[in-house]
Amino acid sequence: MAVHPFRSTALIHFTSSRVILLSFAIPILLGAILLALPVSSASGSSISWLDALFTSTSAVCVTGLVVVDTGTAYSLFGQIVIMCLIQIGGLGFMTYSVLVAVVLGKKISLKDRLLIQQSTNALSTQGVVKLTIGIFAAALVIEAFGAIILTIRWMGDMDFITALYYGIFHSVSSFNNAGFGLWSDSLSRYVGDPLINIVIPLLFIMGGLGFTVILDLWKNRSWRKLSLHSKIVLSTSAILCAGGFLVITTIESFNPDTFGALTGSEKMWAGFFQGVVTRTAGFNTIDIASMMTASQFFMIFLMFIGASSGSTGGGIKTTTFVVLLLTLISIVTGKRDVQIMHRRIPQSIIMRALAVMVISVGVVIAATFLLTLTEHSLQKDFMEVLFEVTSAFGTVGLSMGLTPELSALGKLIIILTMFIGRLGPLTLAFALSQKQSREKFRYLEEKVLIG
């Protein structure tokens, strides 16, 4: 009889969506317990359970929002726990389950492959085990590459051991789009540093593309041979990154509070970094709260779109955005099919994209509404609240300064928003719903007025 490495006997009747939900919830709870221990605190006194839960959720959901400063509030042990949680949350618990199963020689059944397929957002069950091993190998190589370069850069600022640790931590945090940093000002001190402004964005952009795209690029290395998914992700990501850079740089050039004290080259680097960091990374090199309202609103738009499917980032995903945009164009132009690059998008994908969009908008609206109630005493601007919620849902980690001031209820709202954003709104909906049954009949069709 086949051994199921991912489920105990009690979990056999769980749907794959519920297993994936637990694969995020369990590490969050375990991480919160570890971070609440006195050994995790830099002061030696225990961090509150709610703050530990918030940090653990932010790490596993690779968000980067923090209620206490990572570099000063947590000890070396606590920081290493956070880094491990980031790695688990970024690659997914199922990735490590596959590795353990392969090492132990366990047989992976079809049901297990279906579970892996959903957790990795693979297009089919064929080759999912090799895909998962490839995901781990790609992450290890890219993170090692980033850590080496960052270590070399920081050896001039600190001793080798400290530089190595900082290099590893920030490389893991960057590639997994977590945005956790060991400096209180994030990366503001390196606003004009070319190496930091190239390596860090390169890491989180690659992490945001998705492992399927990375492995597709490595295997084919030709635009013509790439899958339609990879082509959509690469082209859309390039357009959004370029658009973010141009818009942020143009608007902030008129803002003395952000670009006023910067040189010409520093302005370009700052515009580039903040333009692409909204792809769910969470680092910042300028003060987000001091940015123009137009820039902040544009960043909300980019954060809501987020990264790509199967990546370490959140948001509705670039492919969802493109499919909905193409659907709109098809409806306006009177076309029967949704087409792109000489291919037709299936109706099931369009309906799934629509469901993701509607649920995501609902989550952001609901969380924003609740937060305006719980944080009413802080008298925060609506833009600040909306920015915080969108950042949490998109697992970005950028903040205008609201996070450390959140009430207990406010923290719980953001925790739930981060969890939904990382898990995926549609996956959560499937996990909470009852088992779907096939319709035995269909009602008569009747038209209703739209628009």
Side-chain angles (χ1 to χ4, degrees):
M1 185 173 66
V3 178
H4 301 280
F6 312 115
R7 304 183 299 277
S8 66
T9 304
L11 293 179
I12 289 178
H13 299 293
F14 274 33
T15 64
S16 58
S17 297
R18 290 174 181 173
V19 174
I20 293 173
L21 186 151
L22 288 175
S23 72
F24 281 100
I26 292 175
I28 287 173
L29 293 177
L30 293 178
I33 293 173
L34 292 175
L35 292 176
L37 297 175
V39 69
S40 295
S41 172
S43 63
S45 57
S46 300
I47 294 173
S48 71
W49 166 251
L50 184 57
D51 287 347
L53 179 63
F54 190 102
T55 303
S56 180
T57 304
S58 185
V60 174
C61 296
V62 289
T63 305
L65 290 174
V66 293
V67 287
V68 293
D69 183 61
T70 306
T72 57
Y74 291 100
S75 64
L76 177 62
F77 175 80
Q79 293 171 7
I80 292 176
V81 168
I82 291 173
M83 183 169 61
C84 292
L85 292 174
I86 291 172
Q87 191 73 287
I88 293 173
L91 299 187
F93 185 75
M94 295 302 162
T95 301
Y96 295 96
S97 299
V98 170
L99 292 174
V100 172
V102 170
V103 171
L104 297 178
K106 301 290 186 181
K107 183 179 179 181
I108 301 177
S109 68
L110 178 59
K111 289 185 179 180
D112 294 327
R113 292 175 188 273
L114 290 170
L115 178 59
I116 299 168
Q117 177 193 357
Q118 184 169 348
S119 65
T120 58
N121 281 318
L123 296 176
S124 67
T125 58
Q126 185 176 3
V128 289
V129 176
K130 289 184 179 180
L131 171 64
T132 307
I133 296 174
I135 287 173
F136 183 81
L140 192 64
V141 170
I142 295 172
E143 289 174 354
F145 173 77
I148 291 172
I149 296 179
L150 293 175
T151 300
I152 295 173
R153 166 61 185 86
W154 286 327
M155 281 176 60
D157 300 337
M158 55 193 77
D159 61 86
F160 172 73
I161 298 299
T162 305
L164 177 63
Y165 171 64
Y166 271 58
I168 294 174
F169 187 97
H170 286 87
S171 181
V172 171
S173 181
S174 299
F175 179 73
N176 289 286
N177 280 244
F180 277 85
L182 297 177
W183 288 287
S184 300
D185 61 352
S186 189
L187 296 174
S188 296
R189 64 189 64 196
Y190 298 107
V191 63
D193 191 302
L195 188 63
I196 299 298
N197 281 276
I198 291 175
V199 175
I200 297 293
L202 187 62
L203 286 169
F204 62 65
I205 287 174
M206 286 193 293
L209 290 177
F211 295 105
T212 303
V213 177
I214 293 175
L215 296 177
D216 193 14
L217 282 169
W218 176 259
K219 179 181 179 181
N220 293 305
R221 306 179 190 180
S222 170
W223 179 264
R224 185 177 59 84
K225 296 180 180 179
L226 293 177
S227 67
L228 177 62
H229 171 78
S230 296
K231 290 178 180 179
I232 293 176
V233 167
L234 291 171
S235 56
T236 307
S237 298
I239 292 172
L240 291 176
C241 286
F245 164 62
L246 292 174
V247 172
I248 298 297
T249 303
T250 301
I251 296 175
E252 293 305 311
S253 294
F254 299 96
N255 187 358
D257 294 331
T258 54
F259 280 18
L262 303 180
T263 63
S265 62
E266 288 176 340
K267 290 178 181 179
M268 297 300 292
W269 285 121
F272 167 73
F273 193 94
Q274 293 307 145
V276 301
V277 79
T278 50
R279 309 305 311 288
T280 80
F283 293 106
N284 63 280
T285 56
I286 58 176
D287 184 21
I288 303 298
S290 300
M291 296 178 72
M292 301 278 280
T293 303
S295 296
Q296 295 167 348
F297 188 75
F298 186 71
M299 292 174 72
I300 288 174
F301 167 71
L302 294 178
M303 290 191 298
F304 184 74
I305 295 175
S308 301
S309 298
S311 71
T312 58
I316 64 170
K317 305 298 188 296
T318 54
T319 45
T320 302
F321 174 72
V322 170
V323 168
L324 291 175
L325 185 61
L326 291 173
T327 302
L328 176 61
I329 294 173
S330 297
I331 293 173
V332 172
T333 57
K335 293 181 179 179
R336 183 178 62 179
D337 297 323
V338 177
Q339 303 171 353
I340 182 174
M341 300 180 185
H342 307 291
R343 292 293 186 272
R344 176 169 53 87
I345 304 298
Q347 187 69 22
S348 59
I349 299 298
I350 297 172
M351 297 302 294
R352 187 180 181 91
L354 180 61
V356 169
M357 171 62 83
V358 172
I359 296 174
S360 299
V361 170
V363 169
V364 172
I365 291 176
T368 302
F369 173 74
L370 292 174
L371 213 59
T372 55
L373 293 176
T374 61
E375 312 309 305
H376 176 70
S377 60
L378 296 178
Q379 297 182 343
K380 293 295 183 179
D381 184 74
F382 176 76
M383 180 66 74
E384 193 168 348
V385 177
L386 179 61
F387 193 98
E388 187 85 8
V389 170
T390 309
S391 179
F393 172 76
T395 67
V396 180
L398 295 174
S399 177
M400 294 172 62
L402 177 60
T403 312
E405 303 178 23
L406 289 171
S407 64
L409 284 176
K411 291 176 183 178
L412 290 174
I413 292 170
I414 294 297
I415 286 173
L416 182 59
T417 305
M418 290 189 293
F419 186 75
I420 295 173
R422 182 65 183 100
L423 186 64
L426 201 57
T427 301
L428 182 63
F430 287 155
L432 298 179
S433 64
Q434 297 295 324
K435 184 177 180 181
Q436 295 180 343
S437 58
R438 293 181 178 270
E439 295 179 351
K440 297 181 179 180
F441 61 91
R442 299 176 70 186
Y443 290 105
L444 293 174
E445 184 180 274
E446 184 172 347
K447 295 182 179 180
V448 295
L449 298 177
I450 298 295

